[in-house]
Amino acid sequence: MRQCMKIFPLLALVVISLTGTATVKAATGLNPPVKLVWHYYKVTNTCDDAEAYIRHQVEKFYKNDTTIAPKLLRLLYSDCMVNGCDASVLLQGPNSERTAPQNRGLGGFLIIDKIKQVVESRCPGVVSCADILNLATRDAVHMAGAPSYPVFTGRRDGGALSADAVDLPSPSISVEESLAYFNSKGLDVLDMTTLLGAHSMGKTHCSHIVNRLYNFKNTGKPDPTMNTTLVSQLRYLCPPRTQKGQTDPLVYLNPDSGSSNRFSSSYYSRVLSHNAVLGVDQQLLYNEDSKEITQEFAAGFEDFRKSFALAMSRMGSINVLTGKAGEIRRDCRVTNANYGA
């Protein structure tokens, strides 16, 4: 028996089929109420070619550095999942959101700053940093092999958040804790399993996995769910952290894609074979729904790509500011009140 879930019309009525007898409860559209508009700047005739300007700049960056795809994905996730997609993570400051421990190693800021400068030179005071971040991420991951999904626009930029406001969870949490976190943001198990698939490319610090390699849950042993060959490989790259200030190397989240930074379904195959690098990824096997989805995505790359399109659109709609709320920043690094200060 195959259970099916329909995706909303702007994604061409894509149908994702999940093998098995269990019914996976999943959303079929954007989080209501949907306040955003497809091609907002063209529809409102405020900056007809805004999306083309952004895509052109992303193409220029991507040709020289394919790592911008995972960097922008993480940057967008870190923005949307904390206080909604309001570009607050782009703001600079001594105790700003981007300085939170969970955001250590964030990249892609300079790319967004450059794009903003270009767009401002053509359409001053019109295109928000929040929309630029969402559109640039879509374009970068599309170049890496993801679908070119529709990004609804019309977001406005929010104010500053302190580092203490960042509630991004540890990459070592259980699947129940992970699902509870995603649910708190209005996302479901399909969204969670799909968005974690962004770990098909990019890197992570050894400090996020060292507990799995040497002292899992204070046992003095590695995580028993982890393939022993992978444990040996990662131990070679990640020595035990025993001293403060010791270097914290980076390792690939998905060694199969490695430096190519290609968007693929191999992440799910690695989860099924107990070769996930992060604990939260391996945990997908310990929930019936997320396991079923993982199996489907490992078997069908197109199912993953189609689900990714919806999940990214849903994440991009979290707590957006529209209308007269927020502002359109002149510089993504500072609020307008502090512009030129």
Side-chain angles (χ1 to χ4, degrees):
M1 177 179 178
R2 296 179 69 82
Q3 307 293 338
C4 295
M5 298 174 294
K6 290 185 179 179
I7 307 301
F8 70 116
L10 284 176
L11 290 180
L13 291 174
V14 172
V15 175
I16 298 176
S17 58
L18 296 176
T19 304
T21 58
T23 300
V24 177
K25 294 181 180 179
T28 58
L30 297 183
N31 294 330
V34 177
K35 307 173 184 177
L36 304 174
V37 178
W38 200 5
H39 299 311
Y40 170 82
Y41 299 103
K42 187 180 291 290
V43 169
T44 58
N45 197 33
T46 51
C47 189
D48 289 0
D49 296 320
E51 295 190 27
Y53 296 148
I54 293 168
R55 183 165 54 252
H56 178 65
Q57 292 302 313
V58 173
E59 287 173 349
K60 289 171 64 177
F61 277 106
Y62 189 83
K63 286 178 182 178
N64 293 320
D65 181 11
T66 61
T67 68
I68 71 166
K71 285 176 181 176
L72 289 177
L73 263 177
R74 185 186 170 198
L75 187 59
L76 180 63
Y77 170 85
S78 296
D79 183 47
C80 293
M81 297 294 279
V82 172
N83 194 49
C85 300
D86 63 355
S88 57
V89 75
L90 304 178
L91 294 169
Q92 292 182 338
N95 189 41
S96 61
E97 186 179 339
R98 69 157 87 179
T99 67
Q102 300 97 315
N103 284 332
R104 183 168 65 101
L106 275 184
F109 296 103
L110 294 178
I111 299 167
I112 302 302
D113 290 341
K114 173 61 178 177
I115 295 172
K116 177 63 171 174
Q117 291 171 9
V118 171
V119 174
E120 281 292 300
S121 71
R122 290 162 171 77
C123 305
V126 173
V127 183
S128 69
C129 299
D131 277 345
I132 289 173
L133 177 55
N134 274 267
L135 289 164
T137 300
R138 184 272 309 275
D139 293 340
V141 297
H142 175 51
M143 293 171 198
S148 184
Y149 54 88
V151 171
F152 297 86
T153 44
R155 298 170 187 79
R156 289 170 66 85
D157 301 321
L161 284 181
S162 69
D164 294 339
V166 176
D167 64 347
L168 296 172
S170 160
S172 299
I173 59 175
S174 68
V175 67
E176 291 82 8
E177 292 169 319
S178 180
L179 185 54
Y181 178 75
F182 277 82
N183 286 165
S184 74
K185 308 299 180 179
L187 302 176
D188 57 35
V189 65
L190 179 59
D191 295 317
M192 177 192 75
T193 309
T194 303
L195 291 172
L196 285 176
H199 293 162
S200 66
M201 54 186 175
K203 292 183 176 182
T204 187
H205 282 282
C206 283
S207 57
H208 290 147
I209 61 171
V210 72
N211 63 315
R212 296 192 75 202
L213 301 178
Y214 296 99
N215 191 26
F216 184 69
K217 294 184 177 180
N218 295 316
T219 60
K221 298 178 181 180
D223 184 344
T225 69
M226 200 174 194
N227 184 289
T228 55
T229 300
L230 181 63
V231 170
S232 298
Q233 292 171 344
L234 291 176
R235 278 184 168 183
Y236 178 77
L237 300 170
C238 299
R241 290 173 57 80
T242 57
Q243 299 178 6
K244 186 176 181 180
Q246 186 175 343
T247 58
D248 190 3
L250 289 163
V251 295
Y252 289 112
L253 285 165
N254 179 5
D256 289 348
S257 61
S259 60
S260 71
N261 293 302
R262 294 299 296 171
F263 183 87
S264 74
S265 62
S266 62
Y267 161 88
Y268 295 101
S269 299
R270 292 186 67 88
V271 170
L272 292 175
S273 61
H274 294 272
N275 277 292
V277 173
L278 290 179
V280 68
D281 296 335
Q282 194 58 67
Q283 281 285 311
L284 290 176
L285 289 186
Y286 304 107
N287 170 279
E288 288 187 9
D289 289 342
S290 60
K291 180 179 180 180
E292 183 180 358
I293 297 165
T294 296
Q295 291 170 333
E296 181 69 15
F297 288 171
F301 183 41
E302 281 307 305
D303 281 355
F304 170 42
R305 294 177 83 251
K306 293 166 186 175
S307 184
F308 186 80
L310 175 60
M312 289 296 288
S313 291
R314 281 171 50 76
M315 184 178 76
S317 73
I318 297 175
N319 293 340
V320 294
L321 301 175
T322 59
K324 296 182 179 180
E327 64 182 14
I328 304 297
R329 282 185 221 142
R330 285 175 279 184
D331 184 327
C332 293
R333 298 169 296 179
V334 296
T335 60
N336 288 343
N338 293 318
Y339 182 71

